[in-house]
Amino acid sequence: MTELRRRYSDQSVKYSRQQISKLAFVLAGLLIAVTSVSLLFVGFVASHASRQQAIANEERLFQNTVDDRMRSIVREQITVASSDESVRKLVRSFDAAYARLSFDTLWSTYRHSKVMLISGNGDVIAESFEDYTHIISRPISEMPDLAQIHDKLKGVYLRNRVRVPGGFGHRTLQGIDPSEYAIMGFVKIDGRPALFGAMPIMPDEYETTLPDGPPTVLLSAHYIDDFMLAQLNGQLGFENFLFTGGAVEETDGPHHAVANQRGEPIGTFTWNSQTVGDSIWPTIIPVIVLLSLALGALAFGIAWRIGQLTSFLQASESQNRYLALHDSLSGLANRLQFNRVLETSVKNLPDKPFAVIHCDLDKFKAVNDTYGHAAGDTVIKTMAERLTKVIGKPGLVCRIGGDEFMVIYRGPVDSGNLESLSKALIAAGRQPIPLSEDVSANIGLSVGIAIAPQDGDTAEQLVTRSDAALYHSKKMGRGQFTTYADISEARDGPEDLLQRQASA
């Protein structure tokens, strides 16, 4: 009886262990299956989210680059469009020789592949084909895309037009974005897609005024050809960067569709996303196989892969955030970052006063004209390093375009410290900049300062008044510094000049 009980007991224990083992295998298999499916799901979601985020960041970077190029076209047009002589010879009367010379300047200096002059009554009276200018007369109604641009610019012009003795003028362009006085975008010209900018002809010294009526318009364009794509991609660094004309095609990859002013599709930019890593499936599948051998290896594999994906996403976001907030040439903060920091600084007033320092290089155009744009780039980068070194930790140095720099300075804003700082900046600008072993560029630096809150307690006021102080420094001979408190608003700036003339 005792032996039988022992055998029964042994069989019971043996059966229990088998059941537990079986249950453990079942639970382990179920756990592995659930974990494997979860890993597949996590891998799919992470891969999809990573791809979509990376594509969105690249598309934002592309949009910012195109916007900057459009603004550059308008700023380059100002050399011709904002001039008393242009008003006399292109608006008040038409001088064909002057038109040819002006168009040739935009081609030879900035490579504007197409330039058109549109009279106030809506006739194209001159157009260029690269370095050849044709004097014609044809109604713009024959070109609906250009007619739409001309109509839109009329409204913009009327908002900016001001009455002055003897006719009309235009409010100052200093300190305002080109989108406030110009039309920019994409258009088809002569059947070819192009990036364009259009602005009215206006006086700069107001010795000549504009007549009443619609504006005479200067339109410049860059065809979207291999040269333009290479220029854009020089800033972007995209792989297989292409432009395809025609209607927008559905694609799940990075792309940017463009249309004319009437909303009609022109074409699509496409490229291969470089911030999206290789497919994660070759890594996940071996890990899933290893789950059948060791549950611990699975946990380690999941943690490692998720950590890798997280690091990748953070690195990708950090890279794109840096590109969005920094100037690609100098490495300084760009206009977007400047505006954000300025708005934050204004919110901290009056507890934390600061200064806005507006700097502009003197004789910079001569460097480009004499030694080429590569030398100009060297000057910009060298001056960026010098200004950053002089300003130090209390300030943020920004490049807002061309040869213009702005500083948000949060150090002591007493007159003595700002005077010492300004002299140091000017001294840095006077130092020769080596361009080669035996050639150096000699430029200079003019400085305008607005102090918050006494000179203004809004971002717009501080930018405008630092610009007015800079204008005064330029006017007084360059290579100088001026604070806004040193000048009278009634004596500085084209807007005030218009007011004095209107009241005369």
Side-chain angles (χ1 to χ4, degrees):
M1 179 67 68
T2 303
E3 179 67 19
L4 181 62
R5 189 176 293 138
R6 185 171 60 250
R7 288 179 180 179
Y8 180 80
S9 178
D10 290 343
Q11 288 176 354
S12 298
V13 172
K14 183 177 180 181
Y15 179 78
S16 298
R17 288 177 179 176
Q18 289 176 345
Q19 290 293 98
I20 293 173
S21 178
K22 185 177 179 180
L23 180 61
F25 277 114
V26 171
L27 291 176
L30 180 61
L31 179 61
I32 290 173
V34 171
T35 306
S36 298
V37 171
S38 299
L39 181 60
L40 288 171
F41 178 74
V42 170
F44 172 78
V45 171
S47 178
H48 181 73
S50 173
R51 179 177 176 79
Q52 294 304 313
Q53 182 63 48
I55 289 175
N57 290 338
E58 289 180 356
E59 290 175 347
R60 279 198 299 271
L61 177 61
F62 174 83
Q63 182 65 64
N64 291 338
T65 301
V66 170
D67 290 345
D68 287 343
R69 189 69 195 94
M70 289 178 182
R71 285 171 169 79
S72 295
I73 292 175
V74 174
R75 292 189 181 99
E76 291 160 2
Q77 283 182 312
I78 290 177
T79 59
V80 172
S82 180
S83 163
D84 281 30
E85 187 175 10
S86 293
V87 173
R88 288 194 300 271
K89 296 183 178 181
L90 298 178
V91 182
R92 289 288 184 179
S93 61
F94 181 68
D95 186 331
Y98 181 78
R100 288 190 174 95
L101 179 62
S102 300
F103 284 20
D104 183 67
T105 297
L106 293 175
W107 162 252
S108 59
T109 305
Y110 304 112
R111 282 295 187 265
H112 289 194
S113 47
K114 184 74 173 182
V115 183
M116 304 179 76
L117 186 67
I118 306 170
S119 66
N121 60 12
D123 290 332
V124 178
I125 55 179
E127 64 177 321
S128 73
F129 304 88
E130 296 186 346
D131 58 347
Y132 171 73
T133 300
H134 183 44
I135 305 302
I136 59 173
S137 179
R138 58 169 171 163
I140 199 173
S141 58
E142 297 178 358
M143 297 165 283
D145 287 0
L146 299 185
Q148 183 79 10
I149 295 169
H150 192 236
D151 288 341
K152 282 189 175 183
L153 195 56
K154 287 179 185 178
V156 175
Y157 169 74
L158 292 176
R159 290 197 299 270
N160 290 291
R161 190 178 72 169
V162 292
R163 183 176 291 278
V164 296
F168 292 89
H170 193 283
R171 70 166 176 155
T172 178
L173 304 185
Q174 294 184 358
I176 65 174
D177 189 82
S179 61
E180 297 185 35
Y181 58 84
I183 298 293
M184 299 168 287
F186 293 88
V187 69
K188 271 193 174 182
I189 301 179
D190 300 330
R192 299 176 63 182
L195 191 69
F196 82 91
M199 65 178 293
I201 304 293
M202 64 185 74
D204 59 345
E205 299 293 338
Y206 296 92
E207 296 176 358
T208 302
T209 59
L210 294 166
D212 195 8
T216 296
V217 175
L218 182 68
L219 183 145
S220 290
H222 282 292
Y223 290 128
I224 304 176
D225 51 19
D226 291 341
F227 178 76
M228 168 59 72
L229 292 175
Q231 274 195 326
L232 290 175
N233 206 30
Q235 296 177 259
L236 298 168
F238 289 161
E239 180 182 345
N240 197 27
F241 183 58
L242 301 172
F243 177 80
T244 305
V248 178
E249 297 183 1
E250 291 294 330
T251 174
D252 61 351
H255 67 282
H256 185 89
V258 296
N260 62 18
Q261 297 296 303
R262 296 184 293 169
E264 299 169 343
I266 291 179
T268 307
F269 291 91
T270 59
W271 62 90
N272 294 338
S273 178
Q274 294 184 343
T275 54
V276 178
D278 296 333
S279 172
I280 65 173
W281 301 116
T283 303
I284 289 182
I285 291 176
V287 173
I288 295 175
V289 173
L290 291 175
L291 282 174
S292 62
L293 304 175
L295 190 59
L298 169 67
F300 175 79
I302 293 175
W304 172 78
R305 189 56 185 169
I306 292 177
Q308 187 182 51
L309 287 173
T310 302
S311 299
F312 166 77
L313 288 172
Q314 290 175 341
S316 174
E317 182 68 20
S318 177
Q319 177 189 13
N320 285 283
R321 186 183 295 113
Y322 178 87
L323 292 174
L325 297 176
H326 289 80
D327 173 54
S328 59
L329 175 61
S330 64
L332 297 176
N334 61 11
R335 182 184 292 274
L336 175 61
Q337 186 175 172
F338 170 80
N339 290 336
R340 289 182 178 180
V341 175
L342 181 58
E343 290 290 348
T344 301
S345 300
V346 166
K347 291 179 181 178
N348 292 328
L349 292 174
D351 297 334
K352 296 180 180 180
F354 64 95
V356 175
I357 305 174
H358 202 150
C359 305
D360 189 80
L361 301 185
D362 300 329
K363 299 181 289 186
F364 176 71
K365 186 177 184 298
V367 175
N368 277 334
D369 293 343
T370 304
Y371 304 110
H373 290 282
D377 291 347
T378 299
V379 170
I380 292 295
K381 289 188 282 189
T382 302
M383 285 305 303
E385 294 173 358
R386 292 180 181 178
L387 295 180
T388 302
K389 183 176 181 181
V390 171
I391 294 299
K393 293 183 179 180
L396 174 68
V397 183
C398 312
R399 181 182 178 223
I400 60 172
D403 58 344
E404 285 189 78
F405 299 86
M406 295 196 77
V407 179
I408 300 176
Y409 184 70
R410 292 174 172 171
V413 293
D414 58 279
S415 59
N417 185 60
L418 290 179
E419 179 178 355
S420 300
L421 186 64
S422 298
K423 288 180 178 179
L425 291 171
I426 293 171
R430 287 175 179 164
Q431 296 177 14
I433 298 176
L435 302 178
S436 63
E437 292 183 0
D438 53 354
V439 176
S440 296
N442 292 289
I443 57 172
L445 188 73
S446 297
V447 177
I449 303 172
I451 305 172
Q454 55 260 48
D455 291 339
D457 55 6
T458 68
E460 291 183 0
Q461 285 179 337
L462 293 168
V463 170
T464 300
R465 291 173 179 178
S466 67
D467 186 62
L470 174 63
Y471 176 84
H472 187 272
S473 295
K474 290 279 191 180
K475 180 180 176 182
M476 298 304 292
R478 302 180 180 178
Q480 301 186 38
F481 73 92
T482 306
T483 63
Y484 183 74
D486 295 335
I487 61 175
S488 169
E489 283 189 48
R491 294 197 301 270
D492 291 274
E495 285 184 340
D496 299 308
L497 177 59
L498 289 176
Q499 293 174 2
R500 294 201 308 274
Q501 290 176 338
S503 61

